[in-house]
Amino acid sequence: MMKLYPVISVLSNDTLNYYAKSSNRITSSTSEKLLVNAWHHIAVCRSGTSTKMFLDGTQVGSTYSDSTNYADSGRMRIGASKNATSRIEGYMSNVRVVNSALYTSNFTPPTAPLTNITNTNLLLNMSNGQAIDSAAQNNLTLYGNAKISTDQAKFGNTSLYLDGSDDYLVVNNHRAYGTGPFTIEMFFRLDSVSGSRCLYDDRPDGASGDYISLIIA
């Protein structure tokens, strides 16, 4: 069975796009735009064979039917692509991966820090001066000048700041998604969008072929 690696990235083309198996599977309208210098919540959820994409609690595009076995590279990059390119400029907070479908219809985005609920395998709150996995399952490494900053905060006093030059975060020993339900969600605030920018990439360095991407602009 083919295995896919989830990727969430940012492009300057005014659409949200979910890409899998060499094709665009979920595409938003051009009215569903990402605002620069504003916090947004993004979530990709699979329940059964149905995968949905949500921006700020509202489903965008259509539901995609997929039963692919999602793989895991053993390491994940936050704020950059698999080869440490396509780095974002801005802030990130409350990155959470859960092996269950948390959102199956429109919802109100969380108004408090995300917590370590049942089936959580990654939780990066980035608040109160800490860049740690609050689910206590992964080791993190900051690259470049990536740092916890008090300049912007979604919750608490701090968030992770990435300058778009050489900054990103690596999560080691990340667990596989498998064929069951999952949720990938996060808050982010971009300072600018210029070309391809990657928020989340779980592909190994040399991966090629099919994968999943969420394209935001």
Side-chain angles (χ1 to χ4, degrees):
M1 178 180 294
M2 180 180 293
K3 294 184 177 183
L4 306 186
Y5 301 90
V7 180
I8 299 176
S9 56
V10 182
L11 295 181
S12 53
N13 64 352
D14 293 334
T15 63
L16 300 179
N17 187 57
Y18 179 92
Y19 180 94
K21 298 181 180 178
S22 303
S23 297
N24 298 330
R25 304 298 182 177
I26 305 175
T27 302
S28 70
S29 70
T30 55
S31 63
E32 296 162 325
K33 294 181 179 180
L34 175 71
L35 299 177
V36 174
N37 298 320
W39 284 101
H40 290 282
H41 179 264
I42 190 92
V44 175
C45 301
R46 181 168 68 177
S47 177
T49 59
S50 296
T51 302
K52 297 181 180 181
M53 178 171 65
F54 300 90
L55 176 65
D56 296 328
T58 300
Q59 183 179 357
V60 292
S62 59
T63 299
Y64 171 53
S65 179
D66 177 31
S67 58
T68 300
N69 182 23
Y70 289 85
D72 176 64
S73 66
R75 61 184 292 170
M76 169 204 307
R77 285 184 175 84
I78 304 292
S81 68
K82 62 174 183 174
N83 296 317
T85 57
S86 301
R87 295 174 289 271
I88 72 162
E89 179 182 353
Y91 301 84
M92 302 186 71
S93 176
N94 286 256
V95 180
R96 183 168 68 177
V97 180
V98 183
N99 285 116
S100 58
L102 302 182
Y103 313 114
T104 57
S105 60
N106 290 352
F107 60 94
T108 300
T111 57
L114 302 182
T115 58
N116 184 12
I117 60 176
T118 301
N119 295 322
T120 298
N121 64 54
L122 177 69
L123 176 60
L124 310 178
N125 287 129
M126 313 295 192
S127 61
N128 302 320
Q130 294 182 313
I132 61 173
D133 178 16
S134 297
Q137 298 187 38
N138 303 276
N139 297 317
L140 313 180
T141 304
L142 299 178
Y143 286 85
N145 297 312
K147 63 182 180 180
I148 295 297
S149 172
T150 58
D151 291 343
Q152 295 290 336
K154 179 59 183 177
F155 303 113
N157 301 316
T158 58
S159 61
L160 177 69
Y161 175 66
L162 306 171
D163 66 9
S165 176
D166 58 356
D167 297 357
Y168 60 97
L169 182 153
V170 168
V171 179
N172 295 301
N173 305 317
H174 184 244
R175 297 192 320 189
Y177 303 91
T179 57
F182 67 79
T183 299
I184 301 170
E185 64 178 319
M186 68 188 71
F187 285 91
F188 60 95
R189 185 184 191 275
L190 298 181
D191 288 345
S192 67
V193 178
S194 176
S196 177
R197 295 292 181 263
C198 190
L199 293 169
Y200 177 104
D201 195 328
D202 206 12
R203 293 175 292 174
D205 293 354
S208 60
D210 293 343
Y211 60 91
I212 295 175
S213 67
L214 177 59
I215 302 167
I216 311 169

